[in-house]
């Protein structure tokens, strides 16, 4: 699972930056095409909700998604992890 | 979505929590109906994919009573604002609680009239500035949760838009309880309230909720011990859960 901020919905209120216990959301610095400063994500893979919810079959934290007043935060499915094609030669 | 609420307005958060509670209840779209009066908060039902009624100012509970009495099998949820519920709709509120009709009322208390530009409401805290209280509000404040308890609602709780998990749980508990369930959510309105009260950023208001709330049980304990809780703190938690006779429950 991968964390996504939907730029078409986000109004840049920065509430997500306030509540995330892992500080994954950081205040952004650049205006987007709608004139809104959307937060940036700092290594979203650190979020246990994203990484482990499938494993435990339950929702973990999820506070960012609940507090986002504009329903801009969600998770998308990712391709299953594939081992990199590193060939070890002897 | 996207909706009309200003940047950082807590109404969207309360919608999230309510819809999460609906999902947890497993309610069907076809037998769930959302009802509201007038105000920013009362725009909420328009964004929910169920049947909904956006009624006249202050009359959400009167309409909801009608719907519930005509169709007791429906799950009825009311969204309302503090002005809508306690000022123009005050009498409907008291009598809906007294009759204990089986509906769930979610009140987004932003402590002000948001939609009409920030006039004071019966919930504007003392000292707070609004367009009608330019020198600071001086009237006593309605405590909506205590009012609902006194009037007879079966389930009463208060949380804030900072306490999203607790708020969701409370709304679900309210939906499970037969009779009138009243869940008050203290909600930030950066535009009409925060801007005039040195809380211009949404995060300032959320910070205030975080630092100025006290659990009801803790407040009671402190009071019993004779200690004083500062005036600018407000209690959050469950105020009532009981079994008074109810009206309009499901026929099943
Ligand atoms: C009978 C009537 N009186 C006045 C109004 C104007 N009016 C519209 S919204 C509103 C205030 C709503 O305040 P509140 O219920 O606190 O909701 P908020 O906008 O703060 O969410 C008022 C007075 C109206 N629509 N109808
Ligand atoms: S789910 Fe929790 S930990 Fe993960 S990004 Fe959101 S707030 Fe942070
Ligand atoms: S809480 Fe939602 S709307 Fe606000 S900045 Fe974060 S993603 Fe954007
Ligand atoms: S005026 Fe206040 S309550 Fe209304 S949408 Fe804006 S922030 Fe929300």
């Amino acid at each position: 699972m991968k964390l996504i901020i939907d730029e078409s919905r986000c109004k840049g209120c920065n509430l997500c930056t306030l509540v995330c216990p892992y500080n994954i959301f950081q205040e952004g610095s650049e205006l987007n095409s709608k004139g809104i400063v959307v937060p940036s994500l700092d290594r979203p893979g650190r979020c246990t909700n994203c990484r482990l919810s499938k494993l435990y079959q339950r929702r973990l934290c999820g506070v960012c998604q609940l507090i986002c007043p504009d329903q801009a935060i969600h998770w998308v499915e990712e391709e299953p992890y594939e081992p990199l094609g590193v060939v070890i030669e002897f | 979505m996207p909706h009309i609420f200003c940047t950082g307005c807590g109404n969207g958060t309360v919608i999230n929590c309510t819809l999460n509670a609906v999902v947890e209840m497993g309610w069907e779209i076809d037998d769930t109906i959302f009802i509201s009066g007038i105000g920013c908060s009362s725009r909420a039902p328009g964004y929910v994919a169920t049947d909904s009624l956006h009624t006249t100012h202050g009359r959400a509970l009167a309409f909801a009573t009608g719907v519930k009495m005509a169709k007791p099998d429906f799950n009825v949820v009311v969204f309302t604002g503090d002005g809508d519920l306690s000022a123009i709709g005050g009498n409907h509120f008291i009598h809906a609680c007294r009759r204990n009709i089986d509906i769930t009322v979610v009140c987004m208390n932003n402590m002000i009239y948001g939609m009409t530009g920030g006039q004071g409401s019966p919930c504007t805290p003392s000292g707070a500035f609004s367009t009608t209280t330019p020198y600071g509000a001086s009237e006593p404040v309605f405590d909506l949760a205590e009012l609902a308890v006194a009037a007879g609602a079966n389930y009463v709780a208060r949380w804030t838009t900072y306490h999203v998990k607790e708020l969701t749980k409370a709304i679900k508990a309210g939906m499970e309880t037969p009779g009138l369930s009243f869940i008050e959510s203290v909600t930030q309105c950066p535009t009409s309230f925060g801007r005039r009260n040195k809380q211009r950023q949404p995060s300032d208001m959320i910070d205030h909720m975080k630092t100025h709330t006290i659990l009801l049980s803790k407040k009671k304990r402190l009071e019993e011990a004779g200690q004083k809780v500062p005036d600018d703190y407000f209690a959050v938690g469950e105020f009532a859960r009981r079994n008074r006779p109810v009206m309009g429950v499901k026929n099943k």
Side-chain angles (χ1 to χ4, degrees), chain B residues 148-160:
Chain B
V149 175
N154 255 359
Y155 181 86
V156 181
R158 169 162 61 218
W159 291 101
T160 75

Side-chain angles (χ1 to χ4, degrees), chain B residues 29 41 56 85 103 112 123 127 138-139 141 148-149 151 153 160 162 164 167 175 199 206 218 220 252:
Chain B
I29 279 191
S41 39
T56 46
L85 184 82
I103 53 183
I112 205 141
C123 297
S138 56
E139 294 175 359
V141 176
V149 175
T160 75
Y162 170 69
V164 281
L167 182 60
M175 289 170 170
Q199 296 174 350
I206 290 279
K218 187 173 174 199
K220 282 187 181 151
K252 281 167 201 164

